[in-house]
Amino acid sequence: MWALPPALVRAASPTSLELRAGVFRQQVMPKGPRTPVWGFNGSVPGPVLRYRRGDQVRMTVVNDLPQETTVHWHGLRIPNAMDGVPFVTQIPIPRGEKFDYAFQVPDSGTFWYHPHQSSFEQVPRGLYGALIVEEDKPIEVDREVLWVLSDFKLQPDNQHVEDFGSVRDFGGIGRIGNVVTLNGRAVGEGSGLEVRSGERIRLRILNAASARIFSLQFLGHWPVVIAFDGQAVEPHTRPSSQLVLGPGMRADLVLDCMKAPGERFSVIDNWEKTSEIAKIVYRDEKPLRTKPLGAPMELEPNALPEPDLRKANEHYILFQGGVVGEPILGMVDGKPTGIYNLLNKHGLAWTMNYTAAHEHALMHQPFLHLTKGEHVVLKMINDTDFIHPMHLHGHLFRVIAVDGKPQKYREWRDTVLMAPKETIDIAFVADNPGEWMFHCHILEHAAGGMMGTIAVE
Ligand code: C2O
Ligand code: CU
């Protein structure tokens, strides 16, 4: 049973570090050759960056990749210039050069970092890592565990299938790997979580895959969700203990391990078909306690600006496209274009408000202009036959309604899963000035046109 790799390593000096994006080999599969991966500081996932709320971060990103890159700090409300979006907030870092990121971490929670340049290739090659900001008063647990989930698409010799950027993936369900990974290693025999009976674990889970959705179930256990996307939510268990995480999304769970020493339970993913992600293995050891720890699970909420729905302005975003469903007409570079030409001539498959955007093209025009301080309800209408995890930069939003139905937890998120033909209302205060990405976190969809910017000025 392998130990959890770089997880929970505290940065030597938490406020100053170098992230070196490079090419190396990592033993992903239990057998056979190592896989050539791209990653940060020689490991996939990259180092866990751990801070306290309010810390001043200085991070030098060094680019040792064969192409340009940037680093985006997913979920952090930081100044626009530090957001790591090529051509929108910065010039991409050329090969062999570096860029200094500096910002203060405003919120506690589970976040992550990844490139925003050719992310449909750079992220699934292994460039991603968790960024954890501790609460001022953390909840009481016996220990903390981090699971970074993703997948690789490998050939029998453990090399990548080199089909990054295929139009089929852009317009379809995205590039789904054939090897699911947990903290950078293939799941399977031996991927497990060793626990002691009676202990309480805070489990942070991040879905860093480019397209794969996970629906996790902890057999024999009822984990309590205490945060989504780093933001506190009223502690609750999910119906049939099912936890769905789309690409980019995170959840913090409290897991009370109340089974007997020597027992084992599977954690399964049953999004498409059922497969085991990990095993919870109870050590043969005297229980730590026989009743679950009574300590409260509520996290201190972050000071997020509360949208006032009575004075909010309504805005609409219509999503269309994909290779299944109604053929669409979209605007590319100012010209109406049919889906077949969109795909074949431009490699684009999706539109937002009738426009298909090239990935980070210099001429990106914001599709929405908001006034700084504006209270906003964004009605997202998914007119496609596909599911999309929609992500907004620089802000958190509340999920207030799905298909017009008010939501029980009205949770704060930075990424929300939008089912086929579903309408989701989100609300936020546009308080962070700048030009912010709003895109699908199925990274092939983003590259295929499902991205745009929202200007706050
Ligand atoms: Cu996690 Cu715009 O990205
Ligand atoms: Cu999508």
Coordinates of all heavy atoms in Angstrom, one line a residue, residues 340-405:
Y340 N -20.3 23.0 -39.0 CA -19.3 22.1 -39.7 C -18.1 22.9 -40.0 O -17.0 22.4 -39.8 CB -20.0 21.4 -40.9 CG -21.1 20.6 -40.4 CD1 -22.5 21.0 -40.6 CD2 -20.9 19.4 -39.6 CE1 -23.5 20.2 -40.1 CE2 -21.9 18.7 -39.1 CZ -23.2 19.1 -39.3 OH -24.3 18.4 -38.8
N341 N -18.3 24.1 -40.5 CA -17.1 25.0 -40.8 C -16.5 25.4 -39.5 O -15.2 25.6 -39.4 CB -17.5 26.2 -41.6 CG -17.6 25.8 -43.1 OD1 -17.0 24.8 -43.5 ND2 -18.4 26.5 -43.9
L342 N -17.3 25.7 -38.5 CA -16.7 26.0 -37.2 C -15.7 25.0 -36.8 O -14.5 25.3 -36.4 CB -17.8 26.1 -36.1 CG -18.5 27.3 -35.8 CD1 -19.5 27.1 -34.6 CD2 -17.6 28.5 -35.4
L343 N -16.1 23.7 -36.9 CA -15.2 22.6 -36.4 C -14.1 22.4 -37.4 O -12.9 22.4 -37.0 CB -16.1 21.3 -36.4 CG -16.7 20.9 -35.1 CD1 -17.6 19.7 -35.4 CD2 -15.7 20.6 -34.1
N344 N -14.4 22.3 -38.7 CA -13.3 21.9 -39.6 C -12.4 23.1 -39.9 O -11.2 22.8 -40.1 CB -13.9 21.4 -40.9 CG -14.8 20.1 -40.6 OD1 -14.4 19.4 -39.6 ND2 -15.8 19.9 -41.3
K345 N -12.9 24.3 -40.0 CA -12.0 25.4 -40.4 C -11.3 26.1 -39.1 O -10.2 26.6 -39.2 CB -12.8 26.5 -41.1 CG -13.2 26.1 -42.5 CD -13.0 27.3 -43.5 CE -13.6 27.0 -44.8 NZ -15.0 27.4 -45.0
H346 N -12.1 26.1 -38.0 CA -11.6 26.9 -36.9 C -11.3 26.0 -35.6 O -10.8 26.5 -34.6 CB -12.6 27.9 -36.5 CG -12.9 28.9 -37.6 ND1 -12.2 30.0 -37.9 CD2 -14.0 28.9 -38.5 CE1 -12.7 30.6 -38.9 NE2 -13.8 30.0 -39.3
G347 N -11.7 24.7 -35.7 CA -11.5 23.9 -34.5 C -12.4 24.3 -33.3 O -12.0 24.1 -32.2
L348 N -13.5 25.0 -33.6 CA -14.4 25.5 -32.6 C -15.7 24.7 -32.6 O -16.2 24.3 -33.7 CB -14.6 27.0 -32.8 CG -13.4 27.8 -32.6 CD1 -13.7 29.3 -33.0 CD2 -12.9 27.8 -31.2
A349 N -16.3 24.5 -31.5 CA -17.5 23.7 -31.4 C -18.6 24.2 -30.6 O -19.7 23.7 -30.6 CB -17.2 22.3 -30.9
W350 N -18.4 25.3 -29.9 CA -19.3 25.8 -28.9 C -19.5 27.3 -29.0 O -18.5 28.0 -29.4 CB -18.9 25.5 -27.5 CG -18.5 24.1 -27.3 CD1 -17.2 23.6 -27.4 CD2 -19.3 23.0 -26.9 NE1 -17.2 22.3 -27.1 CE2 -18.5 21.9 -26.8 CE3 -20.7 22.9 -26.7 CZ2 -19.0 20.6 -26.5 CZ3 -21.2 21.6 -26.4 CH2 -20.4 20.5 -26.3
T351 N -20.7 27.8 -28.7 CA -20.8 29.3 -28.6 C -21.4 29.7 -27.3 O -22.1 28.9 -26.6 CB -21.8 29.8 -29.7 OG1 -23.1 29.2 -29.5 CG2 -21.3 29.5 -31.1
M352 N -21.0 30.9 -26.9 CA -21.7 31.5 -25.7 C -22.3 32.8 -26.3 O -21.6 33.6 -26.9 CB -20.6 31.9 -24.7 CG -20.1 30.6 -24.0 SD -18.6 30.8 -23.0 CE -19.1 32.0 -21.8
N353 N -23.6 33.0 -26.1 CA -24.3 34.1 -26.7 C -23.9 34.2 -28.2 O -23.5 35.3 -28.6 CB -24.1 35.4 -25.9 CG -24.8 35.4 -24.6 OD1 -25.6 34.4 -24.4 ND2 -24.5 36.3 -23.7
Y354 N -24.0 33.1 -28.9 CA -23.8 33.0 -30.4 C -22.4 33.3 -30.9 O -22.2 33.4 -32.0 CB -24.8 34.0 -31.1 CG -26.2 34.0 -30.6 CD1 -26.7 34.9 -29.7 CD2 -27.0 32.9 -30.9 CE1 -28.0 34.8 -29.3 CE2 -28.3 32.7 -30.4 CZ -28.8 33.7 -29.6 OH -30.1 33.6 -29.1
T355 N -21.4 33.4 -29.9 CA -20.1 33.7 -30.4 C -19.1 32.5 -29.9 O -19.2 32.1 -28.8 CB -19.5 35.0 -29.7 OG1 -20.4 36.0 -30.1 CG2 -18.1 35.3 -30.2
A356 N -18.3 32.1 -30.9 CA -17.3 31.1 -30.5 C -15.9 31.8 -30.5 O -15.5 32.5 -31.4 CB -17.2 30.0 -31.6
A357 N -15.3 31.7 -29.3 CA -14.0 32.5 -29.1 C -12.8 31.6 -29.3 O -12.8 30.4 -28.9 CB -14.0 33.1 -27.7
H358 N -11.8 32.1 -30.0 CA -10.5 31.4 -30.0 C -9.9 31.4 -28.7 O -10.0 32.4 -28.0 CB -9.6 32.0 -31.0 CG -10.1 32.0 -32.4 ND1 -10.1 30.9 -33.2 CD2 -10.5 33.0 -33.2 CE1 -10.6 31.2 -34.4 NE2 -10.9 32.4 -34.4
E359 N -9.1 30.3 -28.3 CA -8.5 30.3 -27.0 C -7.6 31.5 -26.9 O -6.6 31.6 -27.6 CB -7.7 29.0 -26.8 CG -7.4 28.8 -25.4 CD -6.3 27.7 -25.1 OE1 -5.6 27.3 -26.1 OE2 -6.3 27.2 -24.0
H360 N -7.9 32.3 -25.9 CA -7.1 33.4 -25.5 C -6.6 34.3 -26.7 O -5.4 34.7 -26.7 CB -5.9 33.0 -24.7 CG -6.3 32.2 -23.5 ND1 -7.3 32.6 -22.7 CD2 -5.8 31.0 -23.0 CE1 -7.4 31.7 -21.8 NE2 -6.6 30.7 -21.9
A361 N -7.4 34.4 -27.7 CA -7.0 35.2 -28.8 C -6.8 36.7 -28.3 O -7.5 37.1 -27.4 CB -8.1 35.2 -29.9
L362 N -5.9 37.4 -28.9 CA -5.6 38.7 -28.5 C -6.9 39.6 -28.6 O -7.0 40.6 -27.9 CB -4.5 39.3 -29.3 CG -3.1 38.9 -28.9 CD1 -2.1 39.1 -29.9 CD2 -2.7 39.7 -27.6
M363 N -7.8 39.3 -29.6 CA -8.9 40.2 -29.8 C -10.1 39.8 -29.0 O -11.2 40.3 -29.2 CB -9.3 40.3 -31.3 CG -9.7 39.0 -31.9 SD -8.2 37.9 -32.2 CE -8.9 36.8 -33.4
H364 N -9.9 39.0 -27.9 CA -11.1 38.7 -27.0 C -11.8 39.9 -26.7 O -11.3 40.8 -26.1 CB -10.5 38.1 -25.7 CG -10.9 36.7 -25.5 ND1 -10.4 35.9 -24.5 CD2 -11.7 35.9 -26.2 CE1 -10.9 34.7 -24.6 NE2 -11.7 34.7 -25.6
Q365 N -13.1 39.9 -26.9 CA -14.0 41.0 -26.5 C -14.8 40.5 -25.3 O -15.4 39.4 -25.4 CB -14.9 41.4 -27.6 CG -14.3 42.2 -28.7 CD -13.7 43.5 -28.2 OE1 -14.2 44.1 -27.3 NE2 -12.7 44.0 -28.9
P366 N -14.9 41.2 -24.2 CA -15.7 40.7 -23.1 C -17.2 40.5 -23.6 O -17.6 41.3 -24.4 CB -15.7 41.8 -22.1 CG -14.4 42.6 -22.4 CD -14.2 42.5 -23.8
F367 N -17.8 39.4 -23.2 CA -19.2 39.2 -23.6 C -20.2 39.9 -22.6 O -21.4 39.9 -22.9 CB -19.5 37.8 -23.9 CG -19.6 36.9 -22.7 CD1 -20.8 36.7 -22.0 CD2 -18.5 36.3 -22.2 CE1 -20.9 36.0 -20.9 CE2 -18.5 35.5 -21.0 CZ -19.7 35.4 -20.4
L368 N -19.6 40.4 -21.5 CA -20.5 41.0 -20.5 C -19.7 42.1 -19.9 O -18.5 41.9 -19.5 CB -20.9 39.9 -19.5 CG -22.0 40.2 -18.5 CD1 -23.3 40.6 -19.3 CD2 -22.2 39.0 -17.6
H369 N -20.3 43.2 -19.7 CA -19.6 44.4 -19.0 C -20.4 44.6 -17.7 O -21.6 44.9 -17.8 CB -19.6 45.6 -19.9 CG -18.7 45.5 -21.0 ND1 -17.4 46.0 -21.0 CD2 -18.8 45.0 -22.2 CE1 -16.8 45.7 -22.1 NE2 -17.7 45.1 -22.9
L370 N -19.7 44.6 -16.6 CA -20.4 44.8 -15.3 C -19.7 46.0 -14.7 O -18.5 46.3 -14.8 CB -20.2 43.6 -14.4 CG -20.8 42.3 -14.9 CD1 -20.4 41.1 -14.0 CD2 -22.3 42.3 -15.1
T371 N -20.5 46.7 -13.9 CA -20.0 47.9 -13.2 C -19.4 47.4 -11.8 O -20.1 46.5 -11.2 CB -21.1 48.9 -12.8 OG1 -22.1 48.8 -13.8 CG2 -20.5 50.3 -12.8
K372 N -18.3 47.9 -11.4 CA -17.7 47.5 -10.1 C -18.7 47.7 -9.0 O -19.3 48.7 -8.9 CB -16.4 48.2 -9.9 CG -15.8 47.8 -8.6 CD -14.4 48.3 -8.4 CE -13.7 47.8 -7.2 NZ -14.0 48.6 -6.0
G373 N -19.0 46.6 -8.3 CA -20.0 46.7 -7.2 C -21.4 46.2 -7.6 O -22.3 46.2 -6.7
E374 N -21.5 46.0 -8.9 CA -22.9 45.5 -9.3 C -23.3 44.2 -8.8 O -22.5 43.3 -8.7 CB -22.8 45.4 -10.9 CG -24.2 45.1 -11.5 CD -24.1 45.1 -13.1 OE1 -23.2 45.8 -13.7 OE2 -24.9 44.5 -13.7
H375 N -24.5 44.1 -8.3 CA -25.1 42.8 -7.9 C -25.7 42.1 -9.1 O -26.4 42.7 -9.9 CB -26.1 43.0 -6.8 CG -25.6 43.5 -5.5 ND1 -25.8 42.9 -4.3 CD2 -24.7 44.6 -5.3 CE1 -25.1 43.5 -3.4 NE2 -24.5 44.6 -3.9
V376 N -25.3 40.9 -9.3 CA -25.6 40.2 -10.6 C -26.3 38.9 -10.4 O -25.9 38.1 -9.5 CB -24.2 39.9 -11.3 CG1 -24.5 39.2 -12.7 CG2 -23.4 41.2 -11.5
V377 N -27.3 38.6 -11.2 CA -27.8 37.2 -11.3 C -27.5 36.8 -12.8 O -27.9 37.5 -13.7 CB -29.3 37.1 -11.1 CG1 -29.9 35.8 -11.5 CG2 -29.6 37.4 -9.6
L378 N -26.8 35.8 -12.9 CA -26.4 35.3 -14.2 C -27.2 34.1 -14.5 O -27.1 33.1 -13.8 CB -24.9 35.0 -14.2 CG -24.1 35.1 -15.5 CD1 -24.3 36.4 -16.1 CD2 -22.6 34.8 -15.2
K379 N -28.1 34.2 -15.5 CA -28.9 33.0 -15.9 C -28.1 32.3 -17.0 O -28.0 32.8 -18.1 CB -30.2 33.4 -16.4 CG -31.1 33.9 -15.2 CD -32.5 34.2 -15.7 CE -33.5 34.5 -14.6 NZ -33.8 33.3 -13.8
M380 N -27.7 31.1 -16.7 CA -26.9 30.3 -17.7 C -27.9 29.2 -18.3 O -28.4 28.4 -17.6 CB -25.8 29.6 -17.0 CG -24.9 30.5 -16.2 SD -23.4 29.8 -15.7 CE -24.0 28.5 -14.6
I381 N -28.1 29.3 -19.6 CA -29.0 28.4 -20.3 C -28.2 27.4 -21.1 O -27.5 27.8 -22.1 CB -30.0 29.2 -21.1 CG1 -30.7 30.3 -20.3 CG2 -30.9 28.3 -21.8 CD1 -31.2 31.4 -21.1
N382 N -28.2 26.2 -20.7 CA -27.4 25.2 -21.4 C -28.4 24.6 -22.5 O -29.2 23.7 -22.2 CB -26.9 24.1 -20.5 CG -26.1 23.0 -21.1 OD1 -25.8 23.1 -22.3 ND2 -25.8 22.0 -20.4
D383 N -28.2 25.0 -23.7 CA -29.0 24.5 -24.8 C -28.3 23.4 -25.6 O -28.6 23.1 -26.7 CB -29.3 25.7 -25.8 CG -30.3 25.4 -26.8 OD1 -31.2 24.5 -26.5 OD2 -30.3 26.0 -27.9
T384 N -27.3 22.8 -24.9 CA -26.5 21.7 -25.5 C -26.9 20.4 -24.9 O -27.6 20.3 -23.9 CB -25.0 21.9 -25.3 OG1 -24.7 21.4 -24.0 CG2 -24.5 23.3 -25.5
D385 N -26.5 19.3 -25.6 CA -26.8 18.0 -25.0 C -25.6 17.5 -24.2 O -25.5 16.2 -23.9 CB -27.0 17.0 -26.2 CG -28.3 17.2 -26.9 OD1 -29.3 17.7 -26.2 OD2 -28.5 17.0 -28.1
F386 N -24.8 18.4 -23.7 CA -23.6 18.0 -22.9 C -23.7 18.6 -21.5 O -24.3 19.7 -21.3 CB -22.4 18.4 -23.6 CG -22.1 17.7 -24.9 CD1 -22.8 18.1 -26.1 CD2 -21.3 16.6 -24.9 CE1 -22.6 17.4 -27.3 CE2 -21.1 15.9 -26.1 CZ -21.7 16.3 -27.3
I387 N -22.9 18.0 -20.6 CA -22.8 18.6 -19.3 C -21.5 19.5 -19.2 O -20.5 19.2 -19.9 CB -22.7 17.4 -18.2 CG1 -22.7 17.9 -16.8 CG2 -21.5 16.5 -18.5 CD1 -23.1 16.8 -15.8
H388 N -21.6 20.6 -18.5 CA -20.5 21.5 -18.5 C -20.2 22.1 -17.1 O -21.1 22.7 -16.5 CB -20.8 22.7 -19.4 CG -21.1 22.4 -20.8 ND1 -20.2 22.0 -21.7 CD2 -22.3 22.3 -21.5 CE1 -20.8 21.7 -22.9 NE2 -22.1 21.9 -22.8
P389 N -19.0 21.9 -16.6 CA -18.7 22.6 -15.3 C -18.2 24.0 -15.6 O -17.1 24.3 -16.1 CB -17.5 21.7 -14.8 CG -16.9 21.1 -16.1 CD -18.0 21.0 -17.1
M390 N -19.1 25.0 -15.3 CA -18.8 26.4 -15.7 C -18.0 27.1 -14.6 O -18.4 27.0 -13.4 CB -20.1 27.1 -16.0 CG -20.8 26.6 -17.2 SD -19.8 26.5 -18.7 CE -19.2 28.1 -18.9
H391 N -17.0 27.7 -14.9 CA -16.0 28.3 -13.9 C -15.9 29.8 -14.2 O -15.6 30.2 -15.3 CB -14.7 27.6 -14.0 CG -13.6 28.2 -13.2 ND1 -13.8 28.6 -11.9 CD2 -12.3 28.6 -13.5 CE1 -12.6 29.1 -11.4 NE2 -11.8 29.1 -12.4
L392 N -16.0 30.6 -13.1 CA -15.8 32.1 -13.2 C -14.5 32.4 -12.4 O -14.3 31.9 -11.3 CB -17.0 32.8 -12.6 CG -16.9 34.3 -12.4 CD1 -16.7 35.0 -13.7 CD2 -18.1 34.9 -11.6
H393 N -13.7 33.2 -12.9 CA -12.4 33.7 -12.2 C -12.7 34.9 -11.4 O -13.6 35.7 -11.6 CB -11.4 34.1 -13.2 CG -10.7 32.9 -14.0 ND1 -9.4 33.0 -14.5 CD2 -11.2 31.7 -14.3 CE1 -9.1 31.9 -15.1 NE2 -10.2 31.0 -15.0
G394 N -11.9 35.0 -10.3 CA -11.9 36.3 -9.6 C -13.0 36.5 -8.6 O -13.0 37.5 -7.8
H395 N -14.0 35.7 -8.6 CA -15.2 35.8 -7.8 C -15.7 34.4 -7.4 O -15.5 33.5 -8.1 CB -16.3 36.5 -8.6 CG -16.0 37.9 -9.1 ND1 -15.2 38.0 -10.2 CD2 -16.3 39.1 -8.6 CE1 -15.1 39.3 -10.4 NE2 -15.7 40.0 -9.5
L396 N -16.5 34.4 -6.3 CA -17.3 33.3 -5.9 C -18.7 33.6 -6.2 O -19.1 34.8 -6.2 CB -17.1 32.9 -4.4 CG -15.9 32.1 -4.0 CD1 -15.9 30.7 -4.7 CD2 -14.6 32.8 -4.2
F397 N -19.5 32.6 -6.5 CA -20.9 32.9 -6.7 C -21.8 32.0 -5.9 O -21.3 30.9 -5.6 CB -21.3 32.8 -8.2 CG -20.8 31.5 -8.9 CD1 -21.6 30.4 -8.8 CD2 -19.7 31.5 -9.7 CE1 -21.2 29.2 -9.4 CE2 -19.3 30.3 -10.3 CZ -20.0 29.2 -10.1
R398 N -23.0 32.4 -5.6 CA -24.0 31.5 -5.0 C -24.8 30.8 -6.1 O -25.2 31.5 -7.0 CB -24.9 32.3 -4.1 CG -24.4 32.5 -2.7 CD -25.6 32.9 -1.8 NE -25.2 33.3 -0.5 CZ -24.8 32.5 0.5 NH1 -24.8 31.2 0.4 NH2 -24.5 33.1 1.7
V399 N -25.0 29.5 -5.9 CA -25.9 28.8 -6.8 C -27.3 29.0 -6.3 O -27.6 28.4 -5.2 CB -25.5 27.3 -6.9 CG1 -26.5 26.6 -7.9 CG2 -24.1 27.2 -7.4
I400 N -28.2 29.8 -6.9 CA -29.4 30.1 -6.3 C -30.6 29.3 -6.9 O -31.5 29.0 -6.2 CB -29.8 31.6 -6.3 CG1 -29.7 32.2 -7.7 CG2 -28.8 32.3 -5.4 CD1 -30.2 33.6 -7.7
A401 N -30.6 28.9 -8.1 CA -31.7 28.1 -8.7 C -31.2 27.2 -9.8 O -30.2 27.5 -10.5 CB -32.8 29.0 -9.2
V402 N -31.8 26.0 -9.9 CA -31.6 25.1 -11.0 C -32.9 24.8 -11.7 O -33.8 24.4 -11.0 CB -30.9 23.8 -10.5 CG1 -30.8 22.8 -11.6 CG2 -29.5 24.1 -9.9
D403 N -33.0 25.1 -13.0 CA -34.3 25.0 -13.7 C -35.4 25.8 -12.9 O -36.5 25.3 -12.8 CB -34.7 23.6 -13.9 CG -33.9 23.0 -15.1 OD1 -33.4 23.7 -15.9 OD2 -33.8 21.7 -15.1
G404 N -35.0 26.9 -12.4 CA -36.0 27.8 -11.7 C -36.3 27.3 -10.2 O -37.0 28.0 -9.5
K405 N -35.8 26.2 -9.8 CA -36.0 25.7 -8.5 C -35.0 26.2 -7.5 O -33.8 26.0 -7.7 CB -36.0 24.2 -8.4 CG -37.3 23.5 -8.7 CD -37.4 22.2 -8.0 CE -37.1 20.9 -8.7 NZ -36.1 20.6 -9.5

